Amino acid sequence: MRRFKVIGVLLAAGLLAAACGTSPTSSKPSGPSGVLTISNEQGSLWTCDFNPFNLSDIAFSLGPVYEPLVFVNTLQSGKTTPWLASSWAWSDSNKVITFTLRSGVKFSNGTPLTPADVVFTFSMLKQHKALDLNSVWSVLSSVTQKGTNQVVMTFKTTAVPYFYYIADQVAIVPQNVWSKIANPVTYPDKNPVGTGAYEVNPCTPQTITFTANPHYWQPGEPKLSKVLYPAFTSNDPANTYLANGQAQWGSQFIPSIGKFYSAKSPDNHYWFPPVANVGIFINLTDPLLKNVAVRQAIAYAIDRSRVSQIGEYGYEPPANQTGIVTPTFSSWLDTAQAAQYGNNYAYNPAKAISILTAAGFRRGSDGIFATPSGQPLSFTIINNGGYSDWVAAVQVIQTELKAAGIQIKPQNLAAPDWESRLYTGQYQLGYNNETGGPTPYYELRQWLYSANSAPIGQPAGSNWSRYSTPATDTLINDYAATANPATQHQVVNQLQQVMLKEVPFIPVTEEVNWYQYNTSSFTGWVTKQNPYAQPAAYVYPDWGQMLLHVAPK
């Protein structure tokens, strides 16, 4: 599952004030019509699980089925749109936020949304840490009801940057359903009950059918009667399906997209905004990978530009070791600091070899470095075998590392196995990405915050490498405790130092939102000129906003 989130750098300032308003609505009287088909290759058939607190399922439910309190537009400098909350206000030096819920909202089972549902949702995350994917309870101290339509969230310290997590990234679920679930961590949620514009009806391993909720609270929404989401196990059939017009919304890698897709129809369009990083997760509990020299050598031995050109056809730019996505977040990049590490770990296999030699490793007759006791620097790397671009990218990395005396053996797995092993730490190296967030801090937090980790064998929310140092945790908490941009930049500079010195994760390419769209039968698409949401169908909750805008012609 490709999951991404990135926005501009001024989110915190915009969230300090109370907000109010309504989401876009339509006055169309005739009800929903038209069937939209999505082509988003995932590498497996559907499990038909929709638990919005499970990393493997959340992208299929948060947005169109379950809804958050507020939508944070990650492509418009953190612009906020009320969703289930009609307004909100900070108080007590930005340690308390009060949400006012909009009236008239009902879950698809007919029960009204109340503050008790919001309080229950957050209390459930506190009770079951595995559900708290963004560790919001590391900073929250209480969530309580106030009156008949308000929810008050109190934080341990100033916490404006956490607005993104609590307001945009948490699905609100009905208490009368979830309170009866014995173990919400393992609950598959086959028949989700949400407030969203769509219901799941039906789901098979081959196709998820999202049907318009006839009692949706926004007048005139949704405009589409059905959304079909077929399963594809590899890129080629999914790309053909899209190029031939059988699907109208695509979210995948297409080689030679101009010839294969754009040339097929004047109504075929695409836009690939860079948003986050794809790279190598490193299991830091592995005895050899604990050695920072090994990690630094791997980082120097990868020609990111070559991976970008061969694996991604140049659509995804080469990344850098700080993890700062450019040009999206160029103002955050500490160039002077990065220059001290070989121009931000620019491709230098000779440097990789010298680091390993200085660390006591010796090259064997097969060209692979080994420890003094003879243990070779040979690792497996797990990958999603259905992503042809990632498979090609790792093949390039494999060749480059071998030239520097490091062996990796790709394991191209089915998506469920790949995800499970990565989340639970059952791997040595893994190829994947994180979602990012409103500034570079959010992606760095996902990689580096110990509260996002978990013991080997238990699923981690995002810190799949199991990185943990008290000093780094302090930096992450310092950022969350201030709304001062200068102080936040200072913290991010120090987190860049962690990435450069300790190499806990190796960014390889800058992940883009894969987005193709056909305008022959539908209007209302996200465009570069009107980026009202992240446009990839795997970005949650943004795709729920997309489905409130797209309409039949």
Side-chain angles (χ1 to χ4, degrees), residues 9 100 109 113 158 171 174 194 312 329 359 422 431 491 495 502 540:
V9 301
T100 300
N109 64 0
L113 170 73
T158 302
E312 305 295 346
F329 295 133
L422 193 66
Y431 205 67
V491 171
L495 293 175
E502 301 184 36
Y540 53 86

Side-chain angles (χ1 to χ4, degrees), residues 82-315:
W83 208 328
L84 293 181
S86 59
S87 64
W88 54 91
W90 287 95
S91 59
D92 191 17
S93 301
N94 300 322
K95 295 178 183 178
V96 176
I97 186 169
T98 301
F99 290 97
T100 300
L101 302 187
R102 67 173 70 246
S103 62
V105 177
K106 291 185 178 181
F107 290 97
S108 58
N109 64 0
T111 61
L113 170 73
T114 70
D117 295 301
V118 179
V119 173
F120 170 81
T121 298
F122 279 86
S123 297
M124 187 171 61
L125 302 190
K126 182 179 182 180
Q127 182 180 358
H128 302 277
K129 185 179 183 300
L131 304 179
D132 189 4
L133 300 179
N134 292 300
S135 303
V136 297
W137 280 100
S138 66
V139 292
L140 273 173
S141 61
S142 68
V143 177
T144 59
Q145 179 173 341
K146 180 181 178 182
T148 60
N149 66 342
Q150 291 187 318
V151 174
V152 179
M153 299 189 186
T154 303
F155 295 85
K156 299 172 184 176
T157 184
T158 302
V160 170
Y162 269 80
F163 182 92
Y164 169 70
Y165 290 130
I166 61 172
D168 181 271
Q169 291 287 288
V170 176
I172 305 304
V173 299
Q175 181 177 8
N176 68 342
V177 174
W178 284 75
S179 62
K180 301 172 184 176
I181 297 169
N183 187 351
V185 176
T186 59
Y187 180 57
D189 200 15
K190 296 287 187 182
N191 299 292
V193 176
T195 59
Y198 290 89
E199 301 172 295
V200 177
N201 182 28
C203 178
T204 69
Q206 291 74 35
T207 304
I208 306 172
T209 301
F210 295 93
T211 305
N213 178 355
H215 307 295
Y216 187 52
W217 56 270
Q218 290 199 55
E221 297 288 359
K223 304 177 186 73
L224 304 170
S225 61
K226 287 184 180 180
V227 177
L228 301 180
Y229 206 150
F232 293 97
T233 58
S234 62
N235 280 89
D236 291 345
N239 291 343
T240 299
Y241 203 77
L242 186 63
N244 291 344
Q246 293 167 280
Q248 299 79 42
W249 182 5
S251 298
Q252 59 211 28
F253 166 77
I254 300 179
S256 304
I257 191 169
K259 179 180 180 181
F260 187 88
Y261 177 71
S262 300
K264 296 288 180 66
S265 169
D267 293 307
N268 285 349
H269 308 275
Y270 69 92
W271 180 39
F272 298 154
V275 291
N277 289 279
V278 176
I280 299 174
F281 286 86
I282 304 166
N283 190 331
L284 298 176
T285 68
D286 182 277
L288 285 179
L289 294 171
K290 280 183 178 180
N291 191 326
V292 67
V294 175
R295 305 197 300 270
Q296 289 177 336
I298 293 174
Y300 274 114
I302 297 173
D303 186 345
R304 294 169 172 85
S305 295
R306 189 165 176 265
V307 176
S308 167
Q309 290 300 319
I310 296 176
E312 305 295 346
Y313 280 62
Y315 304 146

Side-chain angles (χ1 to χ4, degrees), residues 30 72 95 100-101 119 166 182 247 337 352 427 474 494 507:
S30 58
V72 178
K95 295 178 183 178
T100 300
L101 302 187
V119 173
I166 61 172
Q337 187 171 229
Y427 73 100
T474 297
Q494 294 178 77

